[in-house]
Amino acid sequence: MARADRRLGRIFAPAGHNPVFGIYVHWPFCRSKCPYCDFNSHVRHGLIDQPRFVRAFTAEITATAARTPGRTVSTIFFGGGTPSLMEPATVAAILDAVAKSWRVANDVEVTLEANPTSVEARRFAGYRTAGVSRVSLGVQALDDEALSALGRTHTAREALAAVAIARRIFDRYSFDLIYARPGQTPAGWRTELVSAISQAAEHLSLYQLTIEPETPFAALRAAGKLAIPDPDHARNLFDITQEVCAAAGLPAYEISNHARPGAECRHNLVYWRYHEYAGIGPGAHGRLDIDGIRRATATERQPEAWLGLVESQGHGLVTDEPLSRAEAADEYLLLGLRLAEGIDLNRFEILSGGPLSAVEIAHLTRHGLVETTCDGRLRVTAAGFPVLDAVVADLAA
Ligand SMILES: C[S@@+](CC[C@H](N)C(=O)[O-])C[C@H]1O[C@@H](n2cnc3c(N)ncnc32)[C@H](O)[C@@H]1O
Ligand code: SF4
């Protein structure tokens, strides 16, 4: 093997033997832009030509499948943007294209992210007929004042009505809340969370508000007009989140995701367990194992430019690079330590070509931030999760 080749992560199962394979489909449009959000989402006045997007999604799926033959698709995730602005026929056509391009597992999980408005909830039955098996709703808050401050266009009542429709139509659903919001008190969050849990069947995503650069919230904060909780207050809200969810039987399986055991989002586990997935649509990222080497892929973010690329060359890829062993191992560490189950130290060693630093592990263990298990895993402790970024930085160094 050539020297450069040895530095690449030649470490994965041969093609066709991957345990799981996920497909991420990005729908890049929203009705309005929320002031905290830096996702690849765009507002367009006027109709989106969905049949044209279907043709482009189909072309990109076909091109990706040609590079990844023999896979069995285990999960599909429609994310955004606002995928619940897609017509059910658009979703059905994309799922058809996936089924024509790869084998699809009998128990495939098909999740669609939805905004919880009444207009969108009307499409839920159509999504189910199209093949969607799970919805993830962006409820964000159960308080109208907070929803308005977040720039949301729905009320708490409307959101809960959408949750109730999801419950009737789908066997599996989840919803997202954002906490550590301006002015949020510990008692207020506890009450809101208990109420959310009473509406959640099996899964909740609970994100601390992050002020993303170049968003309207970042500008407000810079101008001193947005007071977010200080680190101690945010830590208190995080601790309340863990305590209330665990007591209700929804422990964190990932730093921001809570589920009844067995009800975890299988698609997101594909990322965190560092398995293989394809990214389809504007601004979608993928990790593909081609000729045994892990490649990082990304497509053009701007929707119309992506359409143009796909229409002229059959795909919208703007990045398609092999990862070095060190890069692949760092990604595995960074993603895997977000999970309560942690990482497999043996797999880390296979990926990186060397073991994780025993000195660092011992140091972090002495401080009670990580622990190793008898089956060779390293995981972050309850005390370590609030300082996860620092733990990962120490181990990756
Ligand atoms: C792709 S986004 C949105 C899905 C859907 N469009 C919606 O807004 O309901 C997925 C989730 O990320 C979370 N999120 C987005 N920006 C965030 C931020 N700056 N801080 C914390 N959570 C954020 C929200 O909870 C959101 O539901
Ligand atoms: S939070 Fe959701 S609805 Fe709001 S801009 Fe981001 S993707 Fe769109």
Side-chain angles (χ1 to χ4, degrees):
M1 192 188 292
R3 202 182 157 80
D5 224 10
R6 260 187 281 132
R7 282 201 298 271
L8 296 175
R10 190 173 275 286
I11 23 89
F12 292 90
H17 296 275
N18 295 289
V20 287
F21 183 60
I23 311 280
Y24 175 77
V25 180
H26 191 78
W27 185 255
F29 301 112
C30 290
R31 235 188 230 111
S32 57
K33 185 85 190 174
C34 306
Y36 54 85
C37 176
D38 78 340
F39 281 81
N40 184 32
S41 63
H42 306 260
V43 177
R44 295 285 177 269
H45 303 290
L47 276 185
I48 307 291
D49 184 349
Q50 296 206 16
R52 187 174 170 200
F53 270 91
V54 166
R55 288 191 295 278
F57 279 115
T58 303
E60 195 160 72
I61 286 167
T62 308
T64 309
R67 305 178 73 199
T68 53
R71 311 298 200 271
T72 299
V73 175
S74 46
T75 63
I76 303 170
F77 193 101
F78 290 89
T82 305
S84 51
L85 295 177
M86 297 166 101
E87 293 301 333
T90 300
V91 173
I94 293 171
L95 291 175
D96 256 9
V98 169
K100 283 194 184 114
S101 300
W102 291 281
R103 208 176 313 120
V104 176
N106 290 336
D107 66 346
V108 64
E109 175 192 89
V110 183
T111 304
L112 183 135
E113 269 181 354
N115 282 30
T117 71
S118 53
V119 178
E120 289 162 275
R122 265 185 241 133
R123 296 196 191 99
F124 286 0
Y127 293 143
R128 184 179 167 147
T129 307
V132 172
S133 57
R134 180 176 181 276
V135 282
S136 172
L137 294 143
V139 171
Q140 318 308 1
L142 292 179
D143 173 283
D144 286 347
E145 221 175 286
L147 285 169
S148 158
L150 289 171
R152 303 293 291 182
T153 59
H154 53 86
T155 60
R157 195 190 166 101
E158 192 179 9
L160 288 178
V163 169
I165 295 172
R167 184 182 306 123
R168 267 208 313 280
I169 293 179
F170 298 98
D171 294 335
R172 300 184 59 201
Y173 69 93
S174 171
F175 60 88
D176 301 352
L177 295 178
I178 295 179
Y179 71 99
R181 304 182 305 246
Q184 193 171 36
T185 63
W189 174 230
R190 191 180 280 277
T191 309
E192 188 174 353
L193 189 52
V194 168
S195 161
I197 289 170
S198 74
Q199 303 286 329
E202 55 165 33
H203 193 287
L204 274 177
S205 300
L206 304 168
Y207 300 111
Q208 275 194 50
L209 176 65
T210 310
I211 304 301
E212 302 289 357
E214 288 169 45
T215 56
F217 266 20
L220 281 176
R221 187 154 155 69
K225 293 183 181 156
L226 188 79
I228 56 161
D230 65 31
D232 284 350
H233 184 181
R235 169 70 197 269
N236 188 15
L237 297 171
F238 176 83
D239 290 345
I240 290 170
T241 308
Q242 309 313 306
E243 177 214 316
V244 172
C245 287
L250 291 165
Y253 67 98
E254 189 266 350
I255 186 159
S256 305
N257 282 274
H258 298 253
R260 301 203 185 285
E264 299 84 3
C265 172
R266 282 168 42 209
H267 183 82
N268 286 338
L269 283 175
V270 169
Y271 305 142
W272 298 317
R273 288 180 174 160
Y274 207 45
H275 290 309
E276 189 184 24
Y277 60 94
I280 307 291
H285 290 246
R287 289 291 180 274
L288 300 179
D289 302 335
I290 293 175
D291 296 332
I293 290 170
R294 174 140 289 205
R295 301 183 75 85
T297 68
T299 52
E300 163 62 41
R301 285 171 65 85
Q302 211 279 336
E304 290 75 16
W306 173 82
L307 266 183
L309 279 182
V310 179
E311 287 171 352
S312 61
Q313 65 183 31
H315 64 79
L317 283 179
V318 290
T319 304
D320 181 13
E321 285 165 1
L323 292 177
S324 68
R325 298 190 81 141
E327 286 169 332
D330 275 353
E331 286 194 342
Y332 177 51
L333 185 76
L334 185 84
L335 293 161
L337 287 183
R338 299 176 65 91
L339 288 170
E341 68 185 24
I343 61 162
D344 177 344
L345 287 167
N346 194 34
R347 183 164 173 222
F348 178 90
E349 189 165 343
I350 295 168
L351 281 169
S352 82
L356 205 50
S357 160
V359 174
E360 272 309 329
I361 293 177
H363 174 76
L364 292 167
T365 304
R366 268 197 309 279
H367 284 82
L369 300 175
V370 300
E371 61 194 9
T372 37
T373 66
C374 50
D375 57 348
R377 301 189 72 85
L378 176 76
R379 60 186 186 210
V380 175
T381 60
F385 269 114
V387 289
L388 178 63
D389 290 350
V391 170
V392 170
D394 280 359
L395 287 166

